[in-house]
């Protein structure tokens, strides 16, 4: 692993032509394809699944509970160290450590997606939960390997472009499994929809075969078993725990997207209840929404560069909470395509803005010696807020009604903003912070 942290900043130096030229490489194409494969499964176990279940007359409370099958995204740090060091008997010799693991996991992911599509809700919820859990495990494992591959294959000056290509591929993958799946469901049965999504994992497999195995630059782990285990699992955690205010940092990472996660968990059931069709939802919330998210991402990156990470996080957090209220307005308006476009556009723009600042913050938290494991730890914690903490969303929606529900999700942003205020008091701005110290 090269001596750097994950970065969302673009490459600089040599003028605009050279800066843009960093994208025109085989490695960046591979990273885009891998990003697509990473983004594809997420919505198949989240918003697309919730739409399918609501369409099958599954209760909101049951839908919220089933979303906890995405728990592997929250726990992937537990097995991330194994993927750094365990060699597969045949695949590692054939493809190398990273590509060998990728191929194995992608094949397993194809099988798991097909398995999810074989369920017939509302009667097969137990089978569906197990299949979705396997799918989430395979997807989370793929994310670990893709992140590690990206970090190891790129030089320092390419990391910003690599992060951009990963996010671009990820968004396209989510577009396929969100808008694509919902639109397709208007014409074919759900088992066919999930079979098509499974076939699209082939794009990620193409990336695996196009990729070149990175040269490992990580120091070799200790040979003694206990020392090896300690180096792989405990040392990254011990390093993080030496940071001033590390408990506050973890709490903030957990809660920053909490309100958005709770609202997002019930978004598609909300649209169904308002009478929107699959094509209407796909065209506005997925196609237009993805465009607005990307606009927000670039705006957030510019804001980070202009005013710093913590101020950008504050602006993003406040705007995310405010735009949740547009869905309360939409609930009052009812089946109104213009109101839907306004609510979705505003929410996705601010969500992208906040996400850009949040990714920059997570990346800056990683020690260069433990980038892969610490990044997995932080993104797992972030996913925990999206899954386990959002599991009560159905109960909350049933108890408060749609306008009250979305008003409540706006209030859920307050704890993270309070923590952010404390963090801003603890740490200096990023440009003044020591390189090895906790970031601002």
């Amino acid at each position: 692993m090269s001596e750097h942290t994950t970065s969302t900043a673009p490459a600089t130096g040599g003028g605009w032509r050279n800066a843009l030229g960093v994208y025109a490489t085989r490695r960046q194409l591979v990273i885009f394809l891998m990003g697509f494969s990473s983004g594809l499964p997420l919505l198949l176990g989240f918003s697309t699944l919730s739409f399918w279940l609501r369409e099958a007359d599954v209760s909101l409370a049951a839908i919220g509970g089933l979303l906890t099958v995405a728990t592997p995204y929250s726990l992937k740090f537990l097995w991330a160290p194994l993927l750094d060091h365990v060699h597969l008997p045949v695949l590692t010799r054939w493809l190398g450590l990273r590509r060998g693991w990728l191929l194995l996991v992608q094949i397993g992911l194809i099988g798991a997606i097909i398995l999810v599509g074989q369920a017939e809700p509302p009667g097969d919820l137990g089978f569906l939960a197990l299949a979705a859990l396997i799918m989430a495990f395979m997807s989370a494992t793929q994310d670990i390997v893709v992140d590690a591959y990206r970090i190891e294959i790129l030089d320092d000056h390419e990391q910003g472009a690599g992060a951009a290509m990963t996010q671009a591929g990820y968004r396209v993958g989510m577009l396929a499994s969100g808008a694509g799946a919902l639109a397709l469901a208007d014409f074919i049965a759900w088992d066919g929809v999930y079979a098509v999504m499974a076939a699209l994992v082939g794009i990620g497999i193409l990336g695996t075969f196009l990729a070149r195995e990175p040269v490992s630059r990580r120091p070799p782990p200790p040979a003694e078993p206990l020392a090896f285990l300690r180096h792989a699992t405990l040392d990254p955690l011990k390093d993080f725990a030496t940071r001033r205010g590390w408990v506050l940092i973890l709490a903030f990472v957990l809660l920053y997207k909490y309100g958005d996660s709770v609202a997002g968990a019930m978004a598609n059931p909300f649209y169904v209840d308002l009478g929107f069709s699959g094509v209407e939802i796909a065209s506005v919330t997925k196609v237009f929404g993805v465009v607005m998210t990307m606009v927000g991402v670039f705006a957030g990156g510019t804001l980070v560069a202009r005013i710093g990470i913590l101020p950008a996080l504050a602006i993003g957090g406040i705007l995310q909470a405010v735009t949740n209220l547009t869905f309360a307005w939409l609930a009052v308006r009812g089946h109104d395509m213009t109101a839907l476009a306004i609510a979705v556009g505003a929410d996705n723009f601010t969500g992208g803005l906040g996400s850009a600042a949040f990714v920059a913050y997570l990346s800056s938290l990683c020690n260069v010696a433990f980038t892969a494991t610490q990044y997995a730890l932080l993104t797992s914690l972030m996913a925990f807020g999206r899954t386990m903490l959002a599991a009560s969303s159905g109960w909350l929606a049933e108890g408060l009604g749609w306008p009250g529900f979305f008003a409540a999700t706006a209030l859920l942003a307050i704890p993270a903003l309070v923590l952010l205020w404390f963090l801003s008091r603890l740490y200096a701005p990023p440009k003044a912070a020591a390189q090895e110290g906790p970031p601002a």
Side-chain angles (χ1 to χ4, degrees), residues 234-251:
L234 296 182
D235 286 354
L237 302 179
K238 288 170 60 179
D239 171 80
F240 194 88
T242 61
R243 298 169 183 266
R244 186 161 46 98
W246 66 275
V247 174
L248 292 181
I249 293 173
L250 293 181

Side-chain angles (χ1 to χ4, degrees), residues 12-163:
T12 57
W16 284 107
R17 179 173 298 179
N18 288 343
L20 292 174
V22 75
Y23 290 96
T25 67
R26 174 173 172 168
R27 288 176 294 179
Q28 298 292 357
L29 171 63
V30 164
I31 289 169
F32 175 85
L33 297 177
M34 291 182 177
F36 176 90
S37 192
S38 288
L40 183 73
L42 179 62
L43 297 187
L44 296 178
F46 196 61
S47 61
T48 297
L49 179 62
S50 69
F51 177 88
W52 176 19
L53 294 176
R54 189 57 174 172
E55 198 175 52
D57 292 326
V58 176
S59 71
L60 294 176
I63 292 172
L66 274 170
L67 294 180
T68 60
V69 299
T71 301
Y73 291 106
S74 306
L75 300 177
K76 62 184 179 181
F77 67 92
L78 294 176
W79 63 93
L82 298 178
L83 301 176
D84 273 336
H85 304 296
V86 174
H87 290 237
L88 300 170
V90 176
L91 291 176
T92 298
R93 288 197 299 270
W94 177 30
L95 297 172
L97 179 65
R98 297 303 183 199
R99 295 194 303 148
W101 270 111
L102 266 177
L103 181 61
L104 177 65
V105 171
Q106 286 165 339
I107 292 172
L109 182 59
I110 289 174
I113 294 173
I114 292 174
L115 197 62
V116 171
Q118 299 307 303
E120 296 181 2
D124 284 345
L125 294 186
F127 172 81
L128 178 60
L130 177 60
L133 182 65
I134 296 171
M135 180 178 67
F137 175 79
M138 292 296 177
S139 176
T141 304
Q142 179 183 230
D143 289 349
I144 297 169
V145 186
V146 167
D147 286 336
Y149 179 86
R150 183 187 72 249
I151 293 168
E152 293 180 357
I153 199 64
L154 297 177
D155 294 329
D156 287 358
H157 76 280
E158 298 174 305
Q159 289 297 325

Side-chain angles (χ1 to χ4, degrees), residues 37 47 79 168 182 187 205 241 274 287 292 325 337 360 370 403 421:
S37 192
S47 61
W79 63 93
L182 293 183
F187 303 99
I205 293 178
L274 290 187
V287 179
M292 292 304 298
L325 296 176
M337 289 294 291
F370 309 108
W421 182 83

Side-chain angles (χ1 to χ4, degrees), residues 118-342:
Q118 299 307 303
E120 296 181 2
D124 284 345
L125 294 186
F127 172 81
L128 178 60
L130 177 60
L133 182 65
I134 296 171
M135 180 178 67
F137 175 79
M138 292 296 177
S139 176
T141 304
Q142 179 183 230
D143 289 349
I144 297 169
V145 186
V146 167
D147 286 336
Y149 179 86
R150 183 187 72 249
I151 293 168
E152 293 180 357
I153 199 64
L154 297 177
D155 294 329
D156 287 358
H157 76 280
E158 298 174 305
Q159 289 297 325
M165 291 297 281
T166 295
Q167 188 164 40
Y170 198 90
R171 295 292 178 180
V172 174
M174 290 177 66
L175 180 62
S177 61
L182 293 183
L184 197 59
D186 279 355
F187 303 99
I188 65 175
W190 280 103
D191 60 340
V193 172
Y194 274 75
V196 171
M197 295 299 111
L200 290 179
V201 179
I203 293 175
I205 293 178
L206 174 63
T208 299
F209 282 109
L210 288 176
R212 295 187 176 97
E213 182 69 12
V215 176
S216 176
R217 289 170 282 180
R218 300 183 308 276
E224 197 273 321
L226 289 180
F228 171 87
L229 184 63
R230 183 174 59 252
H231 172 77
T233 60
L234 296 182
D235 286 354
L237 302 179
K238 288 170 60 179
D239 171 80
F240 194 88
T242 61
R243 298 169 183 266
R244 186 161 46 98
W246 66 275
V247 174
L248 292 181
I249 293 173
L250 293 181
F252 173 74
V253 170
L254 177 67
L255 295 175
Y256 184 67
K257 285 286 186 177
Y258 182 27
D260 261 15
S261 297
V262 172
M266 287 293 112
N268 277 333
F270 170 59
Y271 302 142
V272 171
D273 284 0
L274 290 187
F276 292 105
S277 69
V279 172
E280 288 175 330
I281 295 170
S283 62
V284 176
T285 72
K286 305 303 178 182
V287 179
F288 175 64
V290 167
V291 172
M292 292 304 298
T293 297
M294 294 307 298
V295 173
V297 165
F298 287 111
T302 303
L303 197 63
V304 167
R306 178 67 177 169
I307 65 176
I309 294 176
L310 290 186
L313 282 170
I315 292 174
I318 293 169
L319 291 179
Q320 286 171 167
V322 170
T323 53
N324 275 3
L325 296 176
T326 62
F327 289 100
W329 169 68
L330 176 61
V332 176
R333 296 282 298 179
H335 188 279
D336 183 331
M337 289 294 291
T338 301
L340 177 65
I342 293 172

